[in-house]
Amino acid sequence: MKRLVVGAHYGLMDWLAQRVTAIFMAVYTLIMFAATLGGAASSREAWHALMANGFIRYLTFLFIISLCYHAWVGVRDIWMDYVQPAAIRVTLHVLTLFALVGYAGWAVQIIWRL
Amino acid sequence: MPPEIRKPRPKYLALHQIRLPLAGYASILHRVSGAGLFLMLPLLIWLLQLSLASSAESAAMFGAVTGNLLVKLILLGLLWAFLHHFCMGIRILLIDIQIGVEKQQAHASAVAVMVVSLILTLIFGLKLLGAY
């Protein structure tokens, strides 16, 4: 049986995840833009208060997870398109995953201790 | 297949000779902007951290970093990258649900993506650079 360690065989799930995360991030962006227009970035205190709000923190958490999943699919597609040798490609995939999982932890930690 | 009509493989494309429709460039810029945003994520998360930290040093550091001209230019580039990725993403989602698939509409929406994202970059960019 032929086994592939890399390839474009993950199908509909990643395609759908790319869209769902995109829609969520677009809505989040509009919410944050509206908050900014309402003065949420007028001072450090106002910005802190916005990001410390429970509901906004919940949305920001989802945004961070969405961003990392979305970036994973997109960056993986770039490696799949331009990097042919499987060993280099799988290394790049792993490095991308490590980076994104680390960024997610870092960003969540920033908003979670507010 | 007789050998005389077999095409030579692999085929190497002369990229500089290929003329893409505008939607093709908008599409490539979607990828470029996404890659740029990914590469600059650490900077953005660091700025988020500085903007929310309660210590006075963090506040001063945030001011110093965002006041740096090179950082301002990087942020301006990322602003365009985000806005282009955002607008092009909406175009992709609409085409996914069969809106604007026709050649003429697809061209018009590609023009709209390029123009709107540049105008928004100008509007928010002037704010970023402290013009208003």
Side-chain angles (χ1 to χ4, degrees), chain A residues 19-58:
Chain A
R19 269 74 186 163
V20 172
T21 53
I23 293 168
F24 178 80
M25 288 191 288
V27 172
Y28 179 87
T29 300
L30 296 179
I31 291 171
M32 293 307 273
F33 180 63
T36 307
L37 287 182
S42 54
S43 67
R44 277 182 80 85
E45 292 72 33
W47 173 240
H48 190 282
L50 173 75
M51 297 303 279
N53 173 284
F55 183 58
I56 293 293
R57 183 160 55 176
Y58 172 75

Short mmCIF file of all heavy atoms in Angstrom, two decimals, chain A residues 19-58:
data_model
loop_
_atom_site.label_atom_id
_atom_site.label_comp_id
_atom_site.label_asym_id
_atom_site.label_seq_id
_atom_site.Cartn_x
_atom_site.Cartn_y
_atom_site.Cartn_z
N ARG A 19 -13.02 28.51 5.08
CA ARG A 19 -14.14 29.46 4.88
C ARG A 19 -14.78 29.86 6.20
O ARG A 19 -15.08 31.03 6.42
CB ARG A 19 -15.21 28.83 3.98
CG ARG A 19 -15.01 29.11 2.51
CD ARG A 19 -13.89 28.32 1.90
NE ARG A 19 -13.62 28.71 0.53
CZ ARG A 19 -12.50 28.41 -0.09
NH1 ARG A 19 -11.55 27.73 0.52
NH2 ARG A 19 -12.31 28.78 -1.34
N VAL A 20 -15.01 28.87 7.06
CA VAL A 20 -15.69 29.16 8.33
C VAL A 20 -14.84 30.11 9.18
O VAL A 20 -15.33 31.10 9.73
CB VAL A 20 -16.00 27.86 9.10
CG1 VAL A 20 -16.50 28.16 10.50
CG2 VAL A 20 -17.01 27.02 8.33
N THR A 21 -13.53 29.82 9.27
CA THR A 21 -12.65 30.69 10.06
C THR A 21 -12.58 32.08 9.43
O THR A 21 -12.53 33.08 10.14
CB THR A 21 -11.25 30.08 10.17
OG1 THR A 21 -10.76 29.78 8.86
CG2 THR A 21 -11.25 28.81 11.00
N ALA A 22 -12.59 32.14 8.09
CA ALA A 22 -12.53 33.43 7.40
C ALA A 22 -13.75 34.28 7.75
O ALA A 22 -13.62 35.47 8.07
CB ALA A 22 -12.44 33.23 5.89
N ILE A 23 -14.94 33.65 7.71
CA ILE A 23 -16.16 34.39 8.02
C ILE A 23 -16.14 34.88 9.46
O ILE A 23 -16.45 36.04 9.75
CB ILE A 23 -17.41 33.51 7.74
CG1 ILE A 23 -17.53 33.25 6.23
CG2 ILE A 23 -18.67 34.17 8.28
CD1 ILE A 23 -18.53 32.17 5.87
N PHE A 24 -15.72 34.00 10.38
CA PHE A 24 -15.66 34.42 11.78
C PHE A 24 -14.71 35.60 11.96
O PHE A 24 -15.03 36.59 12.63
CB PHE A 24 -15.24 33.27 12.70
CG PHE A 24 -15.16 33.73 14.13
CD1 PHE A 24 -16.30 33.85 14.90
CD2 PHE A 24 -13.94 34.12 14.68
CE1 PHE A 24 -16.25 34.35 16.19
CE2 PHE A 24 -13.87 34.62 15.98
CZ PHE A 24 -15.03 34.74 16.73
N MET A 25 -13.53 35.52 11.34
CA MET A 25 -12.54 36.59 11.50
C MET A 25 -13.02 37.89 10.88
O MET A 25 -12.75 38.98 11.41
CB MET A 25 -11.20 36.17 10.90
CG MET A 25 -10.50 35.11 11.75
SD MET A 25 -8.80 34.83 11.23
CE MET A 25 -9.04 33.98 9.69
N ALA A 26 -13.77 37.79 9.76
CA ALA A 26 -14.30 39.00 9.14
C ALA A 26 -15.32 39.67 10.06
O ALA A 26 -15.29 40.89 10.26
CB ALA A 26 -14.94 38.65 7.79
N VAL A 27 -16.20 38.86 10.68
CA VAL A 27 -17.20 39.41 11.60
C VAL A 27 -16.51 40.03 12.81
O VAL A 27 -16.84 41.14 13.25
CB VAL A 27 -18.20 38.31 12.02
CG1 VAL A 27 -19.11 38.82 13.14
CG2 VAL A 27 -19.03 37.85 10.83
N TYR A 28 -15.51 39.33 13.35
CA TYR A 28 -14.75 39.84 14.50
C TYR A 28 -14.11 41.18 14.15
O TYR A 28 -14.13 42.12 14.95
CB TYR A 28 -13.69 38.82 14.90
CG TYR A 28 -12.82 39.26 16.07
CD1 TYR A 28 -13.22 39.02 17.38
CD2 TYR A 28 -11.61 39.92 15.86
CE1 TYR A 28 -12.44 39.42 18.45
CE2 TYR A 28 -10.82 40.33 16.93
CZ TYR A 28 -11.25 40.07 18.22
OH TYR A 28 -10.46 40.47 19.27
N THR A 29 -13.55 41.26 12.95
CA THR A 29 -12.91 42.51 12.51
C THR A 29 -13.90 43.66 12.51
O THR A 29 -13.59 44.76 12.99
CB THR A 29 -12.33 42.32 11.09
OG1 THR A 29 -11.37 41.27 11.12
CG2 THR A 29 -11.66 43.59 10.60
N LEU A 30 -15.11 43.39 12.00
CA LEU A 30 -16.13 44.45 11.95
C LEU A 30 -16.56 44.85 13.36
O LEU A 30 -16.77 46.04 13.65
CB LEU A 30 -17.33 43.98 11.12
CG LEU A 30 -17.02 43.73 9.64
CD1 LEU A 30 -18.28 43.24 8.90
CD2 LEU A 30 -16.47 44.98 8.96
N ILE A 31 -16.68 43.86 14.27
CA ILE A 31 -17.04 44.17 15.66
C ILE A 31 -15.96 45.05 16.30
O ILE A 31 -16.27 46.07 16.93
CB ILE A 31 -17.21 42.86 16.48
CG1 ILE A 31 -18.46 42.10 16.02
CG2 ILE A 31 -17.31 43.18 17.98
CD1 ILE A 31 -18.59 40.71 16.62
N MET A 32 -14.70 44.69 16.09
CA MET A 32 -13.61 45.46 16.70
C MET A 32 -13.51 46.86 16.07
O MET A 32 -13.20 47.82 16.75
CB MET A 32 -12.27 44.72 16.53
CG MET A 32 -12.19 43.43 17.31
SD MET A 32 -12.59 43.62 19.05
CE MET A 32 -11.00 44.07 19.72
N PHE A 33 -13.81 46.93 14.78
CA PHE A 33 -13.79 48.23 14.12
C PHE A 33 -14.88 49.13 14.70
O PHE A 33 -14.65 50.31 15.01
CB PHE A 33 -13.96 48.07 12.61
CG PHE A 33 -13.95 49.37 11.86
CD1 PHE A 33 -12.82 50.18 11.87
CD2 PHE A 33 -15.07 49.79 11.17
CE1 PHE A 33 -12.80 51.40 11.20
CE2 PHE A 33 -15.07 51.01 10.49
CZ PHE A 33 -13.93 51.81 10.50
N ALA A 34 -16.07 48.54 14.89
CA ALA A 34 -17.17 49.31 15.48
C ALA A 34 -16.80 49.75 16.89
O ALA A 34 -17.07 50.91 17.28
CB ALA A 34 -18.44 48.46 15.50
N ALA A 35 -16.16 48.87 17.66
CA ALA A 35 -15.75 49.23 19.02
C ALA A 35 -14.74 50.37 19.00
O ALA A 35 -14.77 51.27 19.84
CB ALA A 35 -15.16 48.00 19.72
N THR A 36 -13.85 50.33 18.00
CA THR A 36 -12.85 51.40 17.88
C THR A 36 -13.52 52.73 17.57
O THR A 36 -13.16 53.76 18.12
CB THR A 36 -11.84 51.04 16.76
OG1 THR A 36 -11.32 49.74 17.02
CG2 THR A 36 -10.70 52.03 16.72
N LEU A 37 -14.51 52.68 16.68
CA LEU A 37 -15.24 53.91 16.36
C LEU A 37 -15.96 54.44 17.60
O LEU A 37 -16.13 55.64 17.76
CB LEU A 37 -16.28 53.64 15.25
CG LEU A 37 -15.73 53.44 13.84
CD1 LEU A 37 -16.88 53.24 12.86
CD2 LEU A 37 -14.86 54.61 13.39
N GLY A 38 -16.35 53.50 18.50
CA GLY A 38 -17.00 53.89 19.73
C GLY A 38 -16.03 54.36 20.81
O GLY A 38 -16.42 54.55 21.96
N GLY A 39 -14.75 54.46 20.46
CA GLY A 39 -13.77 54.99 21.40
C GLY A 39 -12.98 53.97 22.18
O GLY A 39 -12.28 54.30 23.14
N ALA A 40 -13.06 52.69 21.78
CA ALA A 40 -12.40 51.62 22.54
C ALA A 40 -10.87 51.68 22.46
O ALA A 40 -10.20 51.03 23.25
CB ALA A 40 -12.89 50.25 22.06
N ALA A 41 -10.34 52.44 21.51
CA ALA A 41 -8.88 52.54 21.40
C ALA A 41 -8.41 53.97 21.68
O ALA A 41 -7.30 54.35 21.35
CB ALA A 41 -8.42 52.10 20.02
N SER A 42 -9.30 54.75 22.34
CA SER A 42 -8.95 56.15 22.58
C SER A 42 -7.90 56.31 23.67
O SER A 42 -7.19 57.30 23.72
CB SER A 42 -10.21 56.94 22.94
OG SER A 42 -10.86 56.31 24.04
N SER A 43 -7.81 55.32 24.56
CA SER A 43 -6.79 55.35 25.62
C SER A 43 -6.40 53.92 25.96
O SER A 43 -7.10 52.97 25.60
CB SER A 43 -7.34 56.03 26.87
OG SER A 43 -8.37 55.23 27.44
N ARG A 44 -5.27 53.76 26.65
CA ARG A 44 -4.85 52.41 27.07
C ARG A 44 -5.89 51.78 27.98
O ARG A 44 -6.16 50.59 27.90
CB ARG A 44 -3.49 52.49 27.78
CG ARG A 44 -2.31 52.53 26.83
CD ARG A 44 -1.00 52.56 27.62
NE ARG A 44 -0.57 51.26 28.11
CZ ARG A 44 0.14 50.39 27.38
NH1 ARG A 44 0.47 50.67 26.15
NH2 ARG A 44 0.51 49.24 27.90
N GLU A 45 -6.50 52.61 28.86
CA GLU A 45 -7.49 52.09 29.81
C GLU A 45 -8.72 51.57 29.07
O GLU A 45 -9.24 50.49 29.39
CB GLU A 45 -7.91 53.19 30.79
CG GLU A 45 -6.82 53.64 31.78
CD GLU A 45 -5.72 54.46 31.12
OE1 GLU A 45 -6.02 55.20 30.15
OE2 GLU A 45 -4.55 54.33 31.53
N ALA A 46 -9.19 52.35 28.07
CA ALA A 46 -10.37 51.94 27.31
C ALA A 46 -10.09 50.65 26.53
O ALA A 46 -10.93 49.74 26.48
CB ALA A 46 -10.79 53.06 26.36
N TRP A 47 -8.90 50.56 25.94
CA TRP A 47 -8.49 49.38 25.18
C TRP A 47 -8.42 48.17 26.10
O TRP A 47 -8.91 47.08 25.78
CB TRP A 47 -7.14 49.67 24.51
CG TRP A 47 -6.48 48.54 23.81
CD1 TRP A 47 -5.24 48.02 24.10
CD2 TRP A 47 -6.97 47.77 22.71
NE1 TRP A 47 -4.95 47.00 23.25
CE2 TRP A 47 -5.99 46.82 22.38
CE3 TRP A 47 -8.16 47.80 21.96
CZ2 TRP A 47 -6.15 45.90 21.34
CZ3 TRP A 47 -8.32 46.88 20.92
CH2 TRP A 47 -7.33 45.96 20.62
N HIS A 48 -7.82 48.36 27.29
CA HIS A 48 -7.71 47.27 28.26
C HIS A 48 -9.10 46.80 28.69
O HIS A 48 -9.36 45.60 28.77
CB HIS A 48 -6.89 47.75 29.47
CG HIS A 48 -6.52 46.66 30.42
ND1 HIS A 48 -7.42 46.13 31.33
CD2 HIS A 48 -5.36 45.98 30.61
CE1 HIS A 48 -6.83 45.18 32.03
NE2 HIS A 48 -5.57 45.06 31.60
N ALA A 49 -9.98 47.77 28.95
CA ALA A 49 -11.34 47.43 29.39
C ALA A 49 -12.07 46.62 28.32
O ALA A 49 -12.76 45.64 28.63
CB ALA A 49 -12.11 48.71 29.71
N LEU A 50 -11.91 47.02 27.06
CA LEU A 50 -12.57 46.28 25.97
C LEU A 50 -12.08 44.84 25.92
O LEU A 50 -12.87 43.89 25.92
CB LEU A 50 -12.29 46.96 24.62
CG LEU A 50 -12.81 46.18 23.40
CD1 LEU A 50 -14.33 46.29 23.28
CD2 LEU A 50 -12.14 46.64 22.11
N MET A 51 -10.74 44.67 25.91
CA MET A 51 -10.18 43.34 25.74
C MET A 51 -10.38 42.46 26.98
O MET A 51 -10.33 41.23 26.88
CB MET A 51 -8.69 43.43 25.39
CG MET A 51 -8.41 44.13 24.07
SD MET A 51 -9.25 43.38 22.66
CE MET A 51 -8.14 42.02 22.30
N ALA A 52 -10.60 43.08 28.15
CA ALA A 52 -10.82 42.31 29.38
C ALA A 52 -12.28 41.90 29.52
O ALA A 52 -12.62 41.04 30.35
CB ALA A 52 -10.38 43.13 30.59
N ASN A 53 -13.17 42.51 28.73
CA ASN A 53 -14.60 42.14 28.77
C ASN A 53 -14.76 40.66 28.44
O ASN A 53 -14.16 40.15 27.49
CB ASN A 53 -15.34 43.02 27.76
CG ASN A 53 -16.79 42.62 27.60
OD1 ASN A 53 -17.08 41.62 26.94
ND2 ASN A 53 -17.69 43.37 28.17
N GLY A 54 -15.58 39.98 29.24
CA GLY A 54 -15.71 38.53 29.11
C GLY A 54 -16.13 38.06 27.72
O GLY A 54 -15.54 37.14 27.17
N PHE A 55 -17.14 38.74 27.16
CA PHE A 55 -17.64 38.31 25.86
C PHE A 55 -16.61 38.57 24.76
O PHE A 55 -16.39 37.72 23.89
CB PHE A 55 -18.96 39.03 25.54
CG PHE A 55 -19.58 38.59 24.24
CD1 PHE A 55 -19.91 37.26 24.04
CD2 PHE A 55 -19.82 39.51 23.23
CE1 PHE A 55 -20.48 36.84 22.83
CE2 PHE A 55 -20.38 39.10 22.03
CZ PHE A 55 -20.71 37.77 21.83
N ILE A 56 -15.96 39.76 24.83
CA ILE A 56 -14.94 40.08 23.83
C ILE A 56 -13.77 39.10 23.95
O ILE A 56 -13.20 38.66 22.94
CB ILE A 56 -14.44 41.54 24.00
CG1 ILE A 56 -15.57 42.53 23.67
CG2 ILE A 56 -13.22 41.81 23.12
CD1 ILE A 56 -16.00 42.55 22.21
N ARG A 57 -13.42 38.74 25.17
CA ARG A 57 -12.32 37.79 25.37
C ARG A 57 -12.66 36.43 24.74
O ARG A 57 -11.82 35.78 24.13
CB ARG A 57 -11.99 37.64 26.85
CG ARG A 57 -10.81 36.73 27.09
CD ARG A 57 -10.19 36.96 28.43
NE ARG A 57 -11.17 36.84 29.51
CZ ARG A 57 -10.85 36.93 30.79
NH1 ARG A 57 -9.61 37.17 31.15
NH2 ARG A 57 -11.78 36.80 31.71
N TYR A 58 -13.92 36.03 24.92
CA TYR A 58 -14.39 34.79 24.31
C TYR A 58 -14.25 34.86 22.78
O TYR A 58 -13.72 33.94 22.14
CB TYR A 58 -15.86 34.60 24.72
CG TYR A 58 -16.59 33.48 24.06
CD1 TYR A 58 -16.37 32.16 24.42
CD2 TYR A 58 -17.55 33.74 23.07
CE1 TYR A 58 -17.07 31.13 23.82
CE2 TYR A 58 -18.25 32.73 22.46
CZ TYR A 58 -18.01 31.42 22.83
OH TYR A 58 -18.70 30.42 22.23
#
